[in-house]
Amino acid sequence: MTLDTAWVRAQFPAFAEPSLQGQAFFENAGGSYTCQPVIDRLTRFYTQRKVQPYAPYEASQLGGQEMDEARRRMAAILGVETDELSFGPSTTQNTYVLAQAFGQLLAPGEAIIVTNQDHEANTGPWRRLADRGIEVREWCVDPETGALNTDDLENLLDEHVRLVCFPHCSNVVGQINPVVEITALAHAAGAFVCVDGVSYAPHGFADVGNLGPDIYLFSAYKTFGPHQGLMVIRRALGNLLPNQAHVFNGDTLYKRLTPAGPDHAQIAASAGMADYVDAFYAHHIGGDADAAARGAAVHDMMRDHETGLLQPLLDAVKDRNSVRLIGPAEAVGRAPTVAMALNRPGLEAATELAKHGIMAGGGDFYAGRALTAMGVDEGKGVLRLSFTHYTTKDEIDQLLNALDDVL
């Protein structure tokens, strides 16, 4: 089944915005465009529900119901229980709070495993636990490919390891890591699993229930929504971790790992992401299916479309003498996040691409550990081109023509 790009783009006001005409957006890994249902819900909340929720009067009741709806519907798409999903100001903040909780739970001499493939948000907070006597073991990427080898993980696992942290896919390497296999290895060794899904989720929401990790995190502003961090914590682990919130919230799973008061409007607006998934499913597929099945079908259509557009881009850059393609040269098995090390700063190339109507980014993208491990000059960084399912073939052609002039 072919993705209807005209219908998809009609759901995003940015594509009708006069000031953006003629420009192709290739910095989606830094944040996606926002879909209309999210904007509608955010506007409605700020104009009709901007009161303290859960009070006995109508506007307050409706506001609370919309917040609850967002949690319920997004949890269903992710294949987890409603109270296993919580919202926070960002994934970085959510990870920091988690690290504080694990710091209280773990004893000196126990170990955690982190990677050097991650964005700093899912490695830096965990590494700081070394200050509390927790052993931090690093699962290192292959310096040529940037890939994580599961054999190397097995060599790091033993009875002392309590937590394994890794990305669903890296924001510079792009390769999709085998979450089910890694989770099974960690669980067999008696360790919990934390997956950073920030760079994967824009390409289709994961069925976290089937993947199996104990923690799964991603950012709504990269999945067509508001600036919130979504955090799945499975109940067995969530109830084990020490409460990080107000004492009166300690018995509520979705509150106990979010110490600050929630952003009512943005949580309510997050239901717009579920609206978009449902509308996408109804337009392209139709029929009866539960929320997780609808999410999975939409995920697959998004990935198929992206993969078809990605291979020509990879083919166009992989053999250039002035370019080192980071990550796999095959579209299957990687996200459409394409980082390239050049013989000059990536930001310079991104600046030149802007003159051709290409919106892209250059720098280290908070993945300095991964770039350094692969021998990339962190000061120069990389040129990064990232897109999602609303990207068209015409935009890919526009990008390829611009690359011919810039690289």
Side-chain angles (χ1 to χ4, degrees):
M1 187 177 297
T2 302
L3 187 144
D4 184 349
T5 54
W7 179 90
V8 164
R9 289 166 77 89
Q11 314 310 307
F12 292 84
F15 293 114
E17 167 56 38
S19 67
L20 295 174
Q21 296 307 300
Q23 300 181 70
F25 187 35
F26 283 94
E27 180 54 338
N28 287 274
S32 66
Y33 285 148
T34 307
C35 64
Q36 187 67 57
V38 168
I39 296 170
D40 290 343
R41 284 179 176 269
L42 190 64
T43 301
R44 181 173 67 187
F45 199 96
Y46 274 124
T47 55
Q48 301 178 28
R49 321 274 194 245
K50 191 62 179 72
V51 295
Q52 191 69 17
Y54 304 110
Y57 51 93
E58 184 180 33
S60 177
Q61 287 288 304
L62 291 172
Q65 288 169 16
E66 290 177 7
M67 293 170 65
D68 293 343
E69 178 190 357
R71 180 174 293 103
R72 181 180 68 254
R73 292 177 66 195
M74 286 306 301
I77 288 171
L78 297 168
V80 299
E81 298 298 322
T82 299
D83 66 343
E84 293 179 320
L85 176 64
S86 58
F87 293 85
S90 67
T91 295
T92 299
Q93 184 79 8
N94 286 342
T95 307
Y96 183 84
V97 173
L98 279 171
Q100 298 306 301
F102 269 94
Q104 294 175 247
L105 178 68
L106 303 185
E110 293 185 309
I112 63 173
I113 293 174
V114 299
T115 84
N116 62 354
Q117 193 191 59
D118 280 274
H119 183 290
E120 187 65 19
N122 196 42
T123 188
W126 300 114
R127 291 171 187 268
R128 294 180 186 179
L129 295 183
D131 296 337
R132 302 191 186 192
I134 308 302
E135 182 187 357
V136 178
R137 302 178 184 178
E138 187 175 64
W139 181 13
C140 296
V141 299
D142 182 298
E144 294 297 322
T145 66
L148 291 169
N149 189 316
T150 54
D151 290 339
D152 295 334
L153 173 62
E154 291 189 80
N155 292 333
L156 294 171
L157 287 167
D158 61 29
E159 68 276 10
H160 299 293
V161 176
R162 299 295 304 280
L163 178 69
V164 177
C165 307
F166 66 96
H168 199 154
C169 73
S170 161
N171 69 329
V172 290
V173 178
Q175 185 167 3
I176 299 170
N177 291 317
V179 175
V180 172
E181 179 185 357
I182 296 169
T183 297
L185 289 171
H187 283 173
F192 294 111
V193 171
C194 174
V195 176
D196 176 1
V198 170
S199 294
Y200 184 88
H203 313 294
F205 293 120
D207 187 334
V208 179
N210 281 334
L211 289 177
D214 306 284
I215 303 166
Y216 192 93
L217 309 109
F218 67 95
S219 300
Y221 75 95
K222 298 186 180 185
T223 58
F224 327 115
H227 203 267
Q228 285 284 286
L230 278 71
M231 175 169 58
V232 170
I233 305 180
R234 304 314 300 267
R235 188 173 293 112
L237 173 59
N239 289 333
L240 181 65
L241 289 170
N243 176 36
Q244 302 298 303
H246 296 304
V247 64
F248 48 80
N249 285 333
D251 293 331
T252 304
L253 179 56
Y254 70 86
K255 295 180 177 180
R256 64 199 321 266
L257 276 301
T258 51
D263 188 318
H264 305 145
Q266 291 199 62
I267 291 174
S270 293
M273 298 186 295
D275 291 338
Y276 177 57
V277 168
D278 286 350
F280 187 111
Y281 181 86
H283 178 80
H284 288 91
I285 302 167
D288 294 329
D290 63 24
R294 293 195 301 273
V298 170
H299 165 282
D300 291 349
M301 281 200 69
M302 289 178 174
R303 287 286 300 137
D304 286 347
H305 176 75
E306 292 171 349
T307 300
L309 295 182
L310 177 57
Q311 193 60 57
L313 173 58
L314 297 174
D315 291 342
V317 300
K318 66 182 181 181
D319 295 324
R320 290 178 183 260
N321 292 332
S322 61
V323 172
R324 177 187 173 189
L325 174 64
I326 305 298
E330 298 299 322
V332 175
R334 74 168 292 161
T337 301
V338 181
M340 293 171 280
L342 311 176
N343 53 13
R344 56 182 172 140
L347 185 58
E348 283 186 11
T351 302
E352 291 184 24
L353 284 172
K355 300 173 184 176
H356 295 263
I358 301 298
M359 295 184 279
D364 65 15
F365 300 101
Y366 308 103
R369 298 178 196 271
L371 296 179
T372 298
M374 289 182 281
V376 176
D377 183 341
E378 190 177 346
K380 291 182 179 178
V382 293
L383 170 66
R384 189 176 70 175
L385 306 166
S386 54
F387 63 91
T388 185
H389 71 286
Y390 50 52
T391 302
T392 65
K393 182 181 183 300
D394 286 345
E395 289 176 321
I396 294 292
D397 291 341
Q398 181 181 349
L399 171 63
L400 295 180
N401 288 332
L403 289 173
D404 283 338
D405 288 338
V406 170
L407 296 182

